[in-house]
């Protein structure tokens, strides 16, 4: 019985998460890893304040991108 753990930041719709679970389940079943009914998918959603790369959280990165001045296209 394969168990797939997916970790991502919060903010996706329930429909998107559900679609991802289906795609992961079908991928394992289609490749012959296990029958569909034996596949387990665990989704861990992490708050953007608790996920960082290069000492910058995702929340901080989003905040700095939304306050950054836009470049003049001319």
């Amino acid at each position: 019985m394969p168990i797939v753990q997916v970790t991502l930041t919060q903010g996706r719709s329930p429909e998107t998460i559900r679609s991802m679970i289906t795609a992961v389940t079908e991928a394992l079943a289609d490749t012959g890893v296990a029958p569909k009914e034996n596949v387990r998918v665990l989704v861990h959603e992490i708050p953007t304040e608790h996920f960082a790369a290069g000492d910058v959280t995702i929340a901080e990165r989003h905040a700095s991108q939304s306050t950054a001045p836009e470049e003049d296209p001319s």
Side-chain angles (χ1 to χ4, degrees):
M1 165 179 40
I3 300 173
V4 178
Q5 296 187 50
V6 179
T7 303
L8 22 97
T9 56
Q10 290 176 332
R12 290 164 181 84
S13 70
E15 296 81 15
T16 298
I17 298 291
R18 186 67 190 92
S19 178
M20 181 200 57
I21 291 169
T22 297
V24 169
T25 301
E26 289 178 355
L28 273 79
D30 290 349
T31 56
V33 172
K36 187 176 179 177
E37 60 273 6
N38 290 353
V39 175
R40 307 295 186 257
V41 179
L42 307 174
V43 179
H44 302 276
E45 290 188 283
I46 307 296
T48 57
E49 296 84 4
H50 296 178
F51 192 110
D55 196 34
V56 179
T57 69
I58 300 298
E60 292 166 339
R61 186 168 293 131
H62 288 170
S64 70
Q65 289 171 351
S66 67
T67 60
E70 293 187 32
E71 291 185 25
D72 185 7
S74 56

